[in-house]
Amino acid sequence: MNSLSLRRAAGLLLAGSLSLTAVACSQAGDGGTSAGGKVTISVNGQPPQTQPFDRKVFDEDVAEFEAANPDIDIEPHEGFMDPKTFSAKLAGGQLEDVFYAYFTDPANLIARRQAADITEYVKDVPHYDAIRPELRDVFSKDGKVYGVPTANYSMGLLYNRALFTQAGLNPDQPPKTWDEVREAAKKITALGDGKVGFAEYSKNNQGGWHFTAWMYSVGGRIARQDGDKWVADFNNDKGREVLQHLKDMRWTDNTMGEKQLLVIEDVQQMMGAGQLGMYLAAPDNVPTLVNQFKGDYANYGLTGIPDGEGTLIGGEGYMLNPKASPEKIKAGLKWIQWKFLNPDRFEKNLKRYKEQGQPIGLPVPPVADVWTGDIAAKQSQLKASLATVPVANFQSYVDATPKGQIEPPNAQQVYAILDNVMQAVLTNRDADVSQLLADAEAKVNPVLAQVK
Amino acid sequence: MRRRVAENLAAYGFLSAALVCFAVFSWYPIARGAVLGFQQVDFVTDPAWVGWENFERLFADPLFATAWRNTLLFTALALVFGFVVPFLLAVVLNELRHFKAYFRLIVYLPVMLPPVVAALIWKWMYDPGPGLLNTALRGLGLEGAAWLDSADTSMLSLVIVATWANLGTATLIYLAALQSIPGDLYEAAELDGAGVLRRLWHVTVPQTRFVLLVLLLLQVVATMQVFTEPYVMTGGGPEDSTVTVLLLLYRYAFYYNDFGTASALSLLLLLVLGAFTALYLRVTRKADA
């Protein structure tokens, strides 16, 4: 083999490997206005194949929407908001035009300019003004709008009716105060056989999230505005009251089980297996307990958050890609309104769920509780008339109307710090409640100082 | 001369695919990460240079010192357990007359489990209530421990898991080293009247010194990057007792979306591990010479 052909071979190899790499690194196109004036928008929030019913509903909706709007082409993607991949997707040009956001995210996304300003376009969205103002505020800043809320929840107390009955408690009269929760937890734990009266999270930011719910329930706060900046507001009597109550239940009464550092799935598993009496939860936990953890609707009751001075509200909505064109923003908002915020489709949606044997009557989607006035009234009337689950079991939750408060700013970072407080109280018999709160306050203040 | 160039050209041609892959998927990200450490990034606007700001933020974070302390504690504990135990195990296995292959398999089995699965199994065993370990301890009339659920014992519990999971590999490497020791050395020592311990100390250890050193350095580099166990089992708790450097890095990147500070931290980790790696390379080069 002479040197020339060798060189040629080497050149070919080099070219080959380069083109391979180029293929490996090429990106999917981000779509756009295709020929014929059609707008293509990518949207996420498509349920995974493992949830066949929800997936079917979603795909049917896409088809129906496209038929009604021949100039819009929807490109659905699985998945919701994953903070772990969000920035990478945005940087790589892979973020959907219309993307799901949880209530804790918008403030940061807006501050980091990672969502489009849709103030001009929202004016044309039907019924936008009938959405509850406190939910709209979550997606707005300084009079500008960056997204639309589509669902919300508020925290209540979920309890096991069967265990209540076994423990000699009346399942139709669930605890109204934290003191009553404490007493009920004693009776349920006394059943023995590994039964746990009350469980609480303390890991992966969920401990801080639930500490926040406790604080709201007794009329406390996590943060307050001081002039133009935010400061911590839990190192006080309310904070001490909450932690002391938890500490008493954990160590004095022994009604919270031995194993701690729990997260939501651990607790749902305990509840589904009939081992747990009560935990703080939103109504959307009930279908999860039934579908994933083999529970039974008749066994669960939901009531308002104990003490009821306030409760934590969370939820979800959709925002638009900061790089999306005006046509895409318009088309995206049209889809969001049609699919999630459409009073004309209440009845159809409920009937579709009912035909498939899905529970109707729980305070959860398909008809989200985001409305005010006539639309809210129409929705609850329809829901009651089509109910399939024991509505009475959830009535006291619906009747309880504590003042809903949204999560503190920079919630996830604050929660990470408050996780520690929960962990200390639940794993250390000698935890010093006052010291814990003072330490947490010193750590939370710099985090809140970053809020612009 | 021309011929040599041509021959090398062919070699470069064959190498080019690997080189391009390394460049695109390894070297470029590393360089980019180093640059990110000095920038503030939001992925919408152009990155802004912030100088040492990210490092200052790290040094101001009380968790920064905690994470290094925890990581060093983990590394130290992991060496005590993960270094000594496999060596002794290998010596015992080497002395076995029967069932050698069977025991080798037993020792190696845990390595085959995916780390997350192992962590989840142990999480269940550590359950202070109905968990396997405490049930066994109570059966023996002893008091159960809180394991993961107490800041005093959480790190030790993680080290036990990590050691158990990685024991097999180290044991097999030691075993191979032991089997390469010439038998007549032992015979000579025995004739001189050396007992078991003295044979171990004067024959086995010097003969396997190099393997011991290499494994020690590799283990330091590996254990300083501990992530899976604390991430899956404790999330860094209780009370920050198991927050490691990589876990903190993960939080900065994926909880707080602060890739600049996360990159700054990874740069610091790179420097520390780089020092150990340089040491490792020197040791192996000495051995090769």
Side-chain angles (χ1 to χ4, degrees), chain A residues 7 84 87 114 260 420 423, chain B residues 9 42 239-240 250 257:
Chain A
R7 233 174 305 180
K84 297 186 199 60
S87 290
Q114 293 178 331
Q260 297 303 329
N420 266 343
Q423 285 172 9
Chain B
L9 203 62
D42 63 9
E239 301 173 75
D240 291 333
Y250 181 88
N257 260 311

Side-chain angles (χ1 to χ4, degrees), chain B:
Chain B
M1 181 70 206
R2 278 242 308 267
R3 241 180 74 183
R4 190 181 293 173
V5 170
E7 276 168 20
N8 282 347
L9 203 62
Y12 286 129
F14 281 106
L15 269 179
S16 64
L19 288 178
V20 169
C21 274
F22 265 117
V24 171
F25 294 107
S26 274
W27 303 326
Y28 171 72
I30 288 172
R32 186 72 211 282
V35 172
L36 278 183
F38 299 91
Q39 290 181 327
Q40 199 178 9
V41 213
D42 63 9
F43 294 120
V44 179
T45 48
D46 290 334
W49 287 95
V50 293
W52 295 98
E53 215 175 273
N54 292 332
F55 291 88
E56 282 160 15
R57 185 171 309 120
L58 272 180
F59 296 141
D61 184 345
L63 270 183
F64 178 75
T66 311
W68 279 103
R69 208 174 41 240
N70 288 341
T71 304
L72 291 173
L73 175 67
F74 181 91
T75 302
L77 286 172
L79 287 182
V80 169
F81 286 92
F83 193 64
V84 177
V85 176
F87 185 71
L88 294 175
L89 208 58
V91 170
V92 171
L93 280 179
N94 200 31
E95 296 297 319
L96 280 180
R97 293 274 175 273
H98 308 288
F99 304 118
K100 216 177 216 174
Y102 170 73
F103 278 110
R104 268 204 303 239
L105 179 71
I106 294 280
V107 169
Y108 194 70
L109 269 181
V111 179
M112 299 183 197
L113 268 190
V116 173
V117 175
L120 288 172
I121 290 173
W122 276 89
K123 210 170 131 176
W124 167 77
M125 297 210 293
Y126 277 141
D127 185 330
L132 186 72
L133 288 171
N134 275 3
T135 308
L137 286 171
R138 280 193 293 264
L140 297 169
L142 298 164
E143 190 154 338
W147 301 110
L148 298 169
D149 286 351
S150 156
D152 302 330
T153 51
S154 54
M155 194 53 109
L156 185 65
S157 307
L158 292 185
V159 169
I160 292 173
V161 178
T163 304
W164 172 85
N166 300 314
L167 192 86
T169 314
T171 307
L172 288 191
I173 293 173
Y174 289 139
L175 198 57
L178 291 177
Q179 285 171 341
S180 66
I181 300 173
D184 43 20
L185 286 179
Y186 286 111
E187 281 167 28
E190 229 165 327
L191 286 175
D192 290 340
V196 173
L197 284 179
R198 287 192 64 176
R199 283 204 300 269
L200 188 70
W201 186 247
H202 289 289
V203 178
T204 314
V205 172
Q207 288 290 320
T208 51
R209 190 188 311 144
F210 172 66
V211 175
L212 288 174
L213 190 59
V214 168
L215 270 188
L216 179 75
L217 288 169
L218 282 178
Q219 269 194 327
V220 170
V221 173
T223 51
M224 284 198 77
Q225 299 182 65
V226 56
F227 174 75
T228 309
E229 287 86 2
Y231 177 74
V232 175
M233 297 175 79
T234 61
E239 301 173 75
D240 291 333
S241 63
T242 55
V243 174
T244 61
V245 173
L246 265 202
L247 196 64
L248 185 64
L249 196 154
Y250 181 88
R251 282 187 189 178
Y252 268 110
F254 300 120
Y255 278 9
Y256 314 146
N257 260 311
D258 185 348
F259 289 86
T261 308
S263 300
L265 183 54
S266 63
L267 264 180
L268 293 174
L269 186 63
L270 183 76
L271 290 176
V272 173
L273 293 180
F276 281 105
T277 311
L279 198 62
Y280 164 78
L281 288 172
R282 269 193 59 183
V283 169
T284 46
R285 204 173 302 142
K286 245 195 209 139
D288 290 342

Side-chain angles (χ1 to χ4, degrees), chain A residues 191-249:
Chain A
L191 291 170
D193 195 26
K195 301 278 185 289
V196 173
F198 182 86
E200 198 45 280
Y201 316 150
S202 54
K203 200 175 90 169
N204 297 2
N205 298 5
Q206 296 175 12
W209 175 46
H210 268 209
F211 175 74
T212 303
W214 276 74
M215 284 299 283
Y216 291 174
S217 75
V218 299
R221 281 179 303 200
I222 292 296
R224 65 183 164 85
Q225 254 177 309
D226 183 17
D228 60 349
K229 66 181 195 341
W230 285 88
V231 291
D233 193 16
F234 51 80
N235 184 13
N236 49 34
D237 286 346
K238 299 272 187 208
R240 279 185 286 276
E241 178 193 338
V242 167
L243 287 189
Q244 193 55 49
H245 201 90
L246 269 163
K247 196 175 164 183
D248 290 343
M249 285 174 74

Side-chain angles (χ1 to χ4, degrees), chain A residues 159-410:
Chain A
Y159 63 99
N160 186 322
R161 294 177 61 90
L163 284 185
F164 263 59
T165 309
Q166 280 178 42
L169 295 155
N170 181 352
D172 295 326
Q173 301 211 314
K176 285 190 180 59
T177 64
W178 284 114
D179 289 329
E180 287 175 19
V181 168
R182 191 176 167 182
E183 291 313 308
K186 281 184 198 166
K187 288 193 170 143
I188 288 162
T189 309
L191 291 170
D193 195 26
K195 301 278 185 289
V196 173
F198 182 86
E200 198 45 280
Y201 316 150
S202 54
K203 200 175 90 169
N204 297 2
N205 298 5
Q206 296 175 12
W209 175 46
H210 268 209
F211 175 74
T212 303
W214 276 74
M215 284 299 283
Y216 291 174
S217 75
V218 299
R221 281 179 303 200
I222 292 296
R224 65 183 164 85
Q225 254 177 309
D226 183 17
D228 60 349
K229 66 181 195 341
W230 285 88
V231 291
D233 193 16
F234 51 80
N235 184 13
N236 49 34
D237 286 346
K238 299 272 187 208
R240 279 185 286 276
E241 178 193 338
V242 167
L243 287 189
Q244 193 55 49
H245 201 90
L246 269 163
K247 196 175 164 183
D248 290 343
M249 285 174 74
R250 169 70 181 93
W251 299 104
T252 311
D253 307 348
N254 282 319
T255 53
M256 294 185 66
E258 290 282 328
K259 187 171 190 283
Q260 297 303 329
L261 302 187
L262 303 171
V263 287
I264 187 165
E265 292 83 5
D266 302 322
V267 173
Q268 285 173 335
Q269 192 185 353
M270 289 159 75
M271 193 56 137
Q275 290 292 314
L276 176 64
M278 301 167 278
Y279 74 109
L280 283 185
D284 64 346
N285 275 236
V286 180
T288 308
L289 289 171
V290 173
N291 297 331
Q292 278 183 39
F293 297 97
K294 307 281 180 281
D296 178 355
Y297 284 111
N299 275 346
Y300 303 118
L302 189 69
T303 184
I305 199 163
D307 283 14
E309 299 280 332
T311 188
L312 185 145
I313 56 172
E316 62 201 50
Y318 282 83
M319 301 177 91
L320 289 114
N321 191 315
K323 296 171 183 167
S325 64
E327 291 73 34
K328 286 189 176 218
I329 293 180
K330 280 186 197 140
L333 283 172
K334 204 167 191 173
W335 158 252
I336 296 167
Q337 190 275 322
W338 183 90
K339 162 102 178 100
F340 301 101
L341 301 166
N342 197 341
D344 304 338
R345 294 176 76 242
F346 282 169
E347 194 164 359
K348 184 186 168 171
N349 269 333
L350 285 166
K351 282 188 169 149
R352 199 162 41 158
Y353 270 61
K354 190 165 180 163
E355 280 159 17
Q356 296 285 335
Q358 294 286 321
I360 303 289
L362 293 170
V364 291
V367 275
D369 177 24
V370 297
W371 300 105
T372 56
D374 295 348
I375 298 182
K378 173 184 170 182
Q379 181 177 269
S380 55
Q381 193 193 334
L382 272 170
K383 221 193 264 194
S385 67
L386 294 164
T388 60
V389 297
V391 178
N393 291 4
F394 309 98
Q395 198 53 44
S396 61
Y397 169 85
V398 177
D399 293 343
T401 46
K403 185 177 168 302
Q405 297 188 62
I406 59 166
E407 296 167 270
N410 272 355

